[in-house]
Amino acid sequence: MKARGGLFKLNNAYANNGSVLARGFTVMRSHTTATTAAAASTSSPLFALYNTRGYALPTEATVVRYESNGRPDNVLKVQKEKIPAVKQGEVLVGIIAAPINPADINMIEGVYPIGPKAPAVPGNEGVAEVLAVGDGVSDLSVGDWVIPAAPGFGTWRTHAVAPSKDLLKVRKTLQPEYIASLSVNPCTAYRLLEDFAQLKSGDVIIQNGANGAVGQAVIQLAALRGIKTINIIRERPNYDNTVERMKAYGGYIVAPEVLLGTPEYRRLVSDLPAPRLALNCVGGTSATEIARTLGQDGVLVTYGGMSRKPVQLPTSLFIFKNISSKGSTTHNTHHNTQHTHHTHHTNFRFLAE
């Protein structure tokens, strides 16, 4: 699975769209000493505790926090906070890597319907190493890698203390930045393909925003199942390179958004059955046009609205094609911890293997 998107990384750098969000907050951790950049740079020692391997543990964490909602570059602050004692059933973790997702930005801005209320530490996903375990913890050990079991963990920090039940152990078989990015976008892609249509090999789906993180995961997961994808993207600089990359991932057709509804598009897909599933993360006319391509009883699933324009569908699609229009988010099960644990366990095992 290819991972993309901004990332707080190990080596005092960040990838792609980190920009202002990562300014002043980069994580540098050593697996042999379990120290942090914050601890290494201070003039006074922060080491008062030791874990079961004899590594010194910091008593202070560096966190990114917002006290009120607003533009990230206006409200995010880098702060120090004391690490609380590890109580029974809890573990201390050191964050290895944490991505930046659009939902994270929306939560900071206060325009996302769900998620932690300010003041809060942003970051819904990431990967961490267990540095210490409290009494009664049997499912995790020092040195294990873990990911949050549910959104809203607050991963934009160097360390956190949390109940072990709120974390899922993962194998160290992938690069940390890949593991850090598995919980949201690839899991969204997996559920989109599983929950809304009974797809089989040879079926066709169409998606807009196909060069986004979810779209790229959809391409790869669909290709594994023999499902053909029609991938709609905007024509931007490096368009040809983007098309080449997406086809390398397994995309069957990659086409510009302006082609939808034209005779040229109809010729392009003339040898394919009509899509059974349309995945929309854009909204506006883009959503309308991919819905028009659906076959009888097709399903339009909206999981994003990057254009911030409403989804508008012709009445004829409902009357004559009997299409349905639904919404999806990985946060739908946020209130159901048991369901969330099961979903993440299933998704991660499939994706990691």
Side-chain angles (χ1 to χ4, degrees):
M1 190 66 62
K2 280 76 173 176
R4 293 182 61 80
L7 200 67
F8 293 129
K9 299 192 74 175
L10 294 171
N11 57 358
N12 244 6
Y14 48 86
N16 299 320
N17 63 334
S19 64
V20 69
L21 296 180
R23 194 173 300 157
F25 183 76
T26 51
V27 178
M28 180 188 296
R29 295 198 51 258
S30 165
H31 293 297
T32 57
T33 62
T35 61
T36 67
S41 62
T42 187
S43 57
S44 59
L46 296 176
F47 306 113
L49 301 172
Y50 291 84
N51 65 12
T52 56
R53 294 185 178 182
Y55 297 160
L57 298 176
T59 60
E60 192 175 71
T62 301
V63 303
V64 173
R65 184 183 299 276
Y66 57 100
E67 299 295 330
S68 60
N69 297 116
R71 285 174 51 91
D73 51 347
N74 291 336
V75 300
L76 291 183
K77 296 181 179 179
V78 180
Q79 301 176 340
K80 305 286 187 180
E81 68 177 23
K82 184 177 179 181
I83 298 175
V86 180
K87 300 177 182 178
Q88 183 170 356
E90 294 182 335
V91 296
L92 167 65
V93 298
I95 306 298
I96 299 172
I100 302 171
N101 288 307
D104 298 323
I105 309 303
N106 293 154
M107 287 181 182
I108 295 166
E109 293 171 333
V111 298
Y112 208 73
I114 55 179
K117 304 298 182 183
V121 175
N124 285 298
E125 63 176 346
V127 62
E129 181 184 6
V130 176
L131 303 180
V133 298
D135 292 339
V137 175
S138 59
D139 54 337
L140 296 175
S141 302
V142 171
D144 287 344
W145 282 12
V146 293
I147 61 173
F153 186 87
T155 55
W156 294 7
R157 64 178 89 202
T158 55
H159 299 84
V161 173
S164 63
K165 65 180 178 60
D166 291 346
L167 299 164
L168 301 177
K169 180 179 177 180
V170 296
R171 292 177 297 178
K172 305 177 185 180
T173 53
L174 297 175
Q175 296 180 34
E177 58 264 38
Y178 288 5
I179 298 175
S181 303
L182 277 178
S183 298
V184 174
N185 294 313
C187 284
T188 297
Y190 180 69
R191 296 257 60 96
L192 289 172
L193 293 172
E194 285 288 317
D195 295 346
F196 299 97
Q198 294 182 343
L199 299 171
K200 61 184 183 301
S201 180
D203 283 342
V204 175
I205 68 171
I206 186 170
Q207 60 171 343
N208 59 21
N211 55 329
V214 172
Q216 293 182 70
V218 165
I219 291 171
Q220 296 171 74
L221 293 173
L224 288 173
R225 296 171 54 181
I227 300 166
K228 297 176 180 178
T229 55
I230 302 172
N231 303 282
I232 306 302
I233 63 175
R234 287 180 288 180
E235 285 191 271
R236 287 182 166 181
N238 299 318
Y239 172 80
D240 291 339
N241 291 337
T242 301
V243 171
E244 184 179 347
R245 183 181 73 249
M246 294 173 67
K247 287 189 174 181
Y249 290 170
Y252 191 76
I253 290 176
V254 182
E257 200 168 58
V258 295
L259 205 66
L260 284 171
T262 66
E264 185 179 353
Y265 173 80
R266 288 190 285 272
R267 286 194 295 270
L268 185 65
V269 300
S270 59
D271 62 334
L272 295 176
R276 298 188 58 206
L277 180 68
L279 305 178
N280 166 50
C281 68
V282 177
T285 56
S286 179
T288 306
E289 291 301 326
I290 65 170
R292 289 183 189 276
T293 72
L294 284 168
Q296 194 71 23
D297 300 320
V299 183
L300 172 71
V301 181
T302 295
Y303 67 93
M306 298 303 292
S307 71
R308 302 199 175 188
K309 296 180 180 179
V311 175
Q312 296 180 320
L313 301 175
T315 303
S316 61
L317 295 182
F318 295 99
I319 295 176
F320 299 109
K321 286 190 174 182
N322 193 38
I323 74 160
S324 56
S325 178
K326 301 182 179 182
S328 176
T329 171
T330 54
H331 300 298
N332 277 341
T333 56
H334 179 58
H335 64 282
N336 188 330
T337 304
Q338 183 177 5
H339 188 191
T340 301
H341 272 250
H342 174 74
T343 298
H344 276 66
H345 271 298
T346 302
N347 291 348
F348 185 83
R349 286 171 180 168
F350 176 83
L351 294 165
E353 293 172 3

